[in-house]
Amino acid sequence: MRPLLYASPNLLMSRFRFMLLLPRLLFVHAIIIAILGVLFGRQILEAQFGIIDDHEIVWFLGNKSSLAWADILSTVMDKTEVGNPFESQRFRPFYYLARATEAALWGDSASLWYAARFLMFATFIGCLLEGARRLVGLCAALALLAYVVMLPFWSGIWDRLGPAEIYAACGLGIWFASSTSLLIDQVPRRRSFLGLTIGTFMMCGSKETLLPFALLSIALLVMRRHAMPTTRWYLAMIGCALPAGIIASVMVLQLGATGKDIYGNSVGFGGRTDLLIDVAKQIIVSATGLTAVAAIAWLWSEPAQWRRATMAFAAASASI
């Protein structure tokens, strides 16, 4: 007869391996935060509110040093597009809910506001690295990470408080790591479901143009249905589909009434076709760059594959 607190050797070994893995992951994230701290620490400590992007924060606070917790919901409903969705051409519930919550947390301290962006950037980098590592290995993941963080548009996002891309990028990192886990793990973990739901809402609720990621989340859940507990699967499906469906419905009604988006572009077939072509070009260019970087990093990390690829290239060149 087994004792009451019996634990199988396999269970103990799996727990022990997880304990060995956890410090390594924390160590990697600590290194990322330390590097970013050296690069941006002084700017955070000396940060001040700006006129262009930070006026909403001052408006939320009024003459108070911080927003009262009890006033978060009323501020979002009374002072933003969330409470008046059809008087604006945008609908970003997560964005304004997060900003009002930050106004309660950080108040009138610009340094704390920028420190929060610093942590969100670190979260994005750490999640991207972890997800890519599980997909293509550490060397290729580091190369992909270097390619992504050196893209020029980041300089216009993380050095300000206003862009919705801040929350969207953090959500993208969480979504990517969670999606990778759902794809790879034989039995998906609870945190993967939670991360997928949170990441989807952060992206769709901050940038309406990221609504297609909700479709990707739904497709992933459908594809992995057989490996997921029923209750957890339904909760994740509702958490991904319901907010995205509400946002999409509001946007359709808004665009149908005005005929133009927030940037003045026509929502007619011609205008959308031109926009889709431009987006497709950008995706092709980015995908080509990412594929090339990943292939080089993978070949470099696998000497045998590198030799085969070199011989194949030499043979092809000789035949030409």
Side-chain angles (χ1 to χ4, degrees), residues 15-82:
R15 297 293 185 186
F16 182 67
R17 288 171 184 168
F18 175 75
M19 292 175 65
L20 290 177
L21 180 63
L22 185 60
R24 186 177 67 182
L25 297 178
L26 293 177
F27 179 71
V28 171
H29 287 83
I31 291 177
I32 293 172
I33 292 174
I35 293 174
L36 292 177
V38 171
L39 294 175
F40 305 112
R42 183 177 178 182
Q43 291 90 324
I44 292 174
L45 293 176
E46 299 177 358
Q48 299 292 331
F49 287 121
I51 298 175
I52 298 177
D53 259 353
D54 307 339
H55 63 279
E56 278 185 341
I57 299 173
V58 179
W59 184 38
F60 287 172
L61 294 175
N63 57 1
K64 303 175 183 178
S65 60
S66 64
L67 185 67
W69 288 95
D71 295 335
I72 291 177
L73 187 58
S74 61
T75 299
V76 172
M77 298 304 294
D78 297 338
K79 294 185 176 182
T80 73
E81 64 208 25
V82 179

Side-chain angles (χ1 to χ4, degrees), residues 80-91 250 254:
T80 73
E81 64 208 25
V82 179
N84 301 284
F86 300 108
E87 294 183 6
S88 173
Q89 292 175 301
R90 309 202 69 174
F91 188 64
V250 171
Q254 287 177 345

